[in-house]
Amino acid sequence: MNISDRQSMHGQWSSRWTFILAATGAAVGLGNIWKFPYLTGQNGGSAFVLMYIICVAALGIPLMMAEILLGRRGRSTPIRSMKVLAEENNVGQWWQIIGWSGTIAGMLILSYYSVIGGWTLAYIFKSIAGTFSGATGEFAANTFNTFVGNSSSLFIWHTVFMVITMGIVAGGVQGGLEKAVQFLMPTLFFLLLLMVGYSMTTGFFGKGLEFLFTPDFSKISGASMLSAMGQAFFSLSLGMGTIMIYGSYVPKDTSIASTSVMIAIADTGVALLAGMAIFPIVFANNLEPGSGPGLIFQTLPVAFGSMTGGTIFGSLFFILLLVAAWTSSISLIEPFVTWLIETLGVSRLTAALYSGMATWLLGLGTVWSFNLWAELKFFGLTFFDLLDFITSNLMLPLGGILIALFAGWLMSAESTKAELQISNPTLYTTWQVLVRYIAPVAVFIVLLNAIGLL
Ligand code: PFF
């Protein structure tokens, strides 16, 4: 079959915009609003933000282009696409490891993502019930600590989140995804803007901006660099096949370069807005920026509690955050689901059921890591922190290196040129240099540096 006529058996986006929206939906999620602020807080602020932005621009965008390119060329699940592409380029079948590692990473990430999605669900109900009206920083922190300390309630919310997610997944790509993202993502963006507006009234907006944007280079360490790089991969959903599989549904005439830039800008914009909304509240209420995964759940309720219409506003915010979490969750499990369909020949429903159950089960480790297993440490990390470290900081960057190497070295320049359709030769060469040399070397150095070998 002619390559350009290859089609994915799982469908095709109806237009370039649907792809942009769906990919942005996959990229924008808890990573931007929940994880980015707490990592920034834990890593001392501005220097982390700077490293993060550099990673997005220099590694994220070129790698996203490479990943979409592989997906569109392979037109199948990451594992299958890599098999087809390895054959096409006469290289070893072991390159399928990109697909395998990504499929596994997606499932591992979803196992804990679902737990945090469950927190979001619970916070919708807390907001609706008016729990936060007049909340002080101390009250919000206590509410959060009591909540995560209760293993049964985390268990229930994790289960509910997972059931609903897999229900949407069973509905198929076009039906479930396309409709949800089209108007909800812009609304979330708008609400974040309003939150930033609120933060301007706290009297600590300047302090928040300074914390985020005045680089303090003394705060840079091997560990914080790795964390910034891992977060860039996590937030852009790179290195694990999600973007590859979304790329496999992309119509032939879509420009991969400009699409990637747009997705990266939207994703980074949301993360920065979240930071600008949250840190002024942190400082105004004497909260601890480095308090960890609970940061947004301890700060935003204080804001909702003191603003007019805060109950409605807070409920709406957590509802939209939930939708953003869902669109990401769906993309996290999509490689696994489509692989089950292709390999076992089962229906989408059965595939969703199997993958959902396995992921849910693993998620219990994260549920307990906040209560029953809180003291249980592996290499000094809780189960949740360990899982997050292995996936975000190791699997995604390593997957990214392999994708870069494959697209940069093993695919012929004709085929990458044909897929990328970049008419400007300088731009094409820049991309090639970035994926061939800069990205693999940079990721490697950051990894070695973080484990103390450099
Ligand atoms: N990018 C998502 C977020 O920032 O919340 C998380 C994610 C989704 C990571 C899909 C990886 C992925 F493949």
Side-chain angles (χ1 to χ4, degrees):
M1 182 175 38
N2 187 329
I3 293 162
S4 55
D5 295 333
R6 213 179 266 156
Q7 278 276 347
S8 169
M9 68 184 263
H10 303 284
Q12 177 160 328
W13 303 111
S14 51
S15 74
R16 167 167 185 248
W17 273 108
T18 354
F19 170 62
I20 294 179
L21 284 168
T24 310
V28 173
L30 294 171
N32 308 62
I33 294 169
W34 157 75
K35 200 172 175 199
F36 175 79
Y38 93 71
L39 286 182
T40 303
Q42 278 180 333
N43 288 289
S46 52
F48 176 87
V49 176
L50 183 69
M51 289 186 292
Y52 174 75
I53 293 176
I54 293 175
C55 288
V56 168
L59 305 177
I61 294 176
L63 284 182
M64 182 175 288
M65 289 167 62
E67 201 169 327
I68 299 178
L69 178 144
L70 294 188
R72 191 165 68 177
R73 194 81 178 169
R75 289 261 187 238
S76 185
T77 58
I79 296 173
R80 274 281 178 91
S81 286
M82 288 317 300
K83 182 172 158 48
V84 172
L85 293 173
E87 273 161 17
E88 188 176 300
N89 294 283
N90 295 319
V91 294
Q93 281 298 326
W94 71 268
W95 281 97
Q96 281 182 60
I97 188 141
I98 295 178
W100 283 107
S101 130
T103 305
I104 296 169
M107 184 256 189
L108 298 181
I109 293 176
L110 182 58
S111 80
Y112 67 79
Y113 205 85
S114 161
V115 177
I116 315 299
W119 296 0
T120 312
L121 253 168
Y123 267 63
I124 295 175
F125 290 95
K126 286 192 198 301
S127 300
I128 293 176
T131 311
F132 302 122
S133 63
T136 58
E138 198 189 339
F139 175 83
N142 285 340
T143 309
F144 175 77
N145 290 331
T146 314
F147 170 65
V148 294
N150 182 341
S151 63
S152 337
S153 64
L154 291 203
F155 175 93
I156 293 170
W157 290 115
H158 162 55
T159 309
V160 176
F161 184 91
M162 206 63 210
V163 168
I164 302 179
T165 303
M166 298 325 288
I168 305 173
V169 168
V173 170
Q174 309 277 346
L177 271 178
E178 291 195 358
K179 290 191 201 102
V181 285
Q182 275 168 1
F183 65 99
L184 294 174
M185 285 294 119
T187 318
L188 179 65
F189 196 77
F190 180 69
L191 272 194
L192 268 179
L193 280 179
L194 283 180
M195 291 301 296
V196 175
Y198 168 84
S199 280
M200 287 178 177
T201 68
T202 57
F204 284 79
F205 194 63
K207 179 127 198 270
L209 289 189
E210 189 190 320
F211 181 73
L212 285 170
F213 300 117
T214 313
D216 174 356
F217 294 105
S218 68
K219 298 261 169 62
I220 295 184
S221 66
S224 69
M225 262 200 259
L226 179 60
S227 195
M229 184 177 79
Q231 173 62 5
F233 278 88
F234 183 90
S235 192
L236 294 172
S237 315
L238 290 178
M240 56 147 285
T242 294
I243 291 292
M244 204 188 288
I245 197 155
Y246 275 32
S248 77
Y249 308 142
V250 166
K252 265 195 304 215
D253 52 356
T254 301
S255 155
I256 293 182
S258 60
T259 308
S260 303
V261 172
M262 281 164 80
I263 298 170
I265 291 179
D267 188 71
T268 309
V270 172
L272 294 179
L273 279 182
M276 284 156 68
I278 284 157
F279 286 106
I281 305 175
V282 169
F283 296 122
N285 293 281
N286 267 328
L287 295 163
E288 174 48 50
S291 67
L295 188 66
I296 65 158
F297 296 93
Q298 297 173 9
T299 47
L300 294 179
V302 180
F304 299 134
S306 69
M307 62 173 71
T308 354
T311 300
I312 297 179
F313 196 50
S315 317
L316 194 61
F317 181 87
F318 284 116
I319 290 174
L320 291 170
L321 182 58
L322 181 73
V323 175
W326 271 331
T327 51
S328 300
S329 303
I330 294 162
S331 72
L332 279 163
I333 204 69
E334 187 73 8
F336 194 13
V337 169
T338 40
W339 176 77
L340 284 176
I341 297 175
E342 284 185 6
T343 325
L344 303 184
V346 293
S347 68
R348 203 172 168 87
L349 181 68
T350 313
L353 205 64
Y354 288 168
S355 52
M357 279 181 20
T359 312
W360 172 83
L361 201 61
L362 187 65
L364 297 182
T366 295
V367 163
W368 295 329
S369 75
F370 289 96
N371 35 69
L372 307 178
W373 288 0
E375 300 309 319
L376 186 65
K377 300 278 165 70
F378 310 83
F379 310 104
L381 300 172
T382 63
F383 182 86
F384 157 69
D385 286 329
L386 182 74
L387 208 54
D388 182 34
F389 185 85
I390 293 176
T391 48
S392 311
N393 295 359
L394 300 180
M395 292 178 88
L396 301 189
L398 288 173
I401 291 194
L402 291 180
I403 290 172
L405 292 177
F406 194 94
W409 293 98
L410 302 180
M411 288 180 78
S412 66
E414 291 93 79
S415 58
T416 50
K417 262 193 197 137
E419 287 294 339
L420 291 176
Q421 294 163 359
I422 303 179
S423 44
N424 181 332
T426 322
L427 274 185
Y428 177 78
T429 311
T430 310
W431 172 80
Q432 214 182 24
V433 169
L434 283 167
V435 291
R436 279 191 162 184
Y437 308 100
I438 313 278
V441 172
V443 171
F444 215 60
I445 290 179
V446 173
L447 280 172
L448 289 183
N449 186 23
I451 52 174
L453 289 181
L454 273 185

